[in-house]
């Protein structure tokens, strides 16, 4: 087993641990949804930007893809998994229609894009 910091939970910054129904909690949710939709320049107040969050997650996925392993299991935190999956492997509407419960599982199958050929409509991993 390898532990990788890059798939840790999203850094909520100032809204950390605040309920989702508060103004600050709603800002966190709106920001995470914006990242999944491609607006990665936004930054959580006191936290990371979407580019930083997706970039660190991308690096771990790229490492796993380059490892030569036929199957990889990655265990992470809900918001980070939801945002990365919507942004990179599906789309926001698809992900929103299929909520991920705590202790849930997302299975992604496919191959890593070849050098110079990013996934269609998505940033390269």
């Amino acid at each position: 087993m390898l532990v990788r910091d890059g798939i840790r939970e999203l850094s909520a910054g100032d809204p950390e641990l605040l309920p989702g129904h508060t103004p600050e909690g709603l800002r966190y949710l709106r920001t995470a949804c914006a990242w999944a939709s491609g607006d990665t320049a936004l930054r959580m107040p006191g936290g990371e930007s979407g580019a930083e969050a997706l970039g660190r997650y991308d690096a771990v996925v790229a490492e796993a893809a380059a490892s030569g392993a036929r199957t990889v299991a990655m265990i992470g935190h809900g918001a980070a998994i939801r945002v990365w999956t919507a942004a990179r492997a599906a789309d926001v509407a698809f992900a929103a229609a299929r909520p991920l419960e705590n202790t849930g599982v997302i299975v992604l199958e496919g191959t890593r894009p070849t050098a110079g050929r990013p996934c269609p409509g998505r940033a390269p991993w």
Side-chain angles (χ1 to χ4, degrees):
M1 178 173 75
L2 300 174
V3 177
R4 294 293 181 256
D5 186 55
I7 59 173
R8 71 182 182 277
E9 186 60 285
L10 301 178
S11 172
D14 298 341
E16 188 74 44
L17 301 177
L18 294 176
H21 65 278
T22 64
E24 296 83 7
L26 290 172
R27 184 171 181 189
Y28 167 85
L29 295 172
R30 283 193 304 271
T31 301
C33 288
W35 293 351
S37 298
D39 190 356
T40 61
L42 288 178
R43 179 174 295 281
M44 292 285 182
E48 64 190 337
S49 72
E52 292 164 346
L54 291 169
R56 65 176 164 78
Y57 215 99
D58 287 342
V60 176
V61 172
E63 178 186 352
S67 73
R70 292 181 45 100
T71 303
V72 175
M74 299 175 87
I75 293 103
H77 292 272
I81 293 169
R82 289 179 192 98
V83 168
W84 187 88
T85 302
R88 299 292 194 255
D91 61 45
V92 175
F94 181 88
R98 293 157 183 85
L100 174 65
E101 301 297 329
N102 285 335
T103 71
V105 174
I106 293 177
V107 176
L108 300 175
E109 295 178 344
T111 59
R112 183 173 184 232
T114 57
R117 293 189 62 212
C119 294
R122 299 286 176 232
W125 335 335

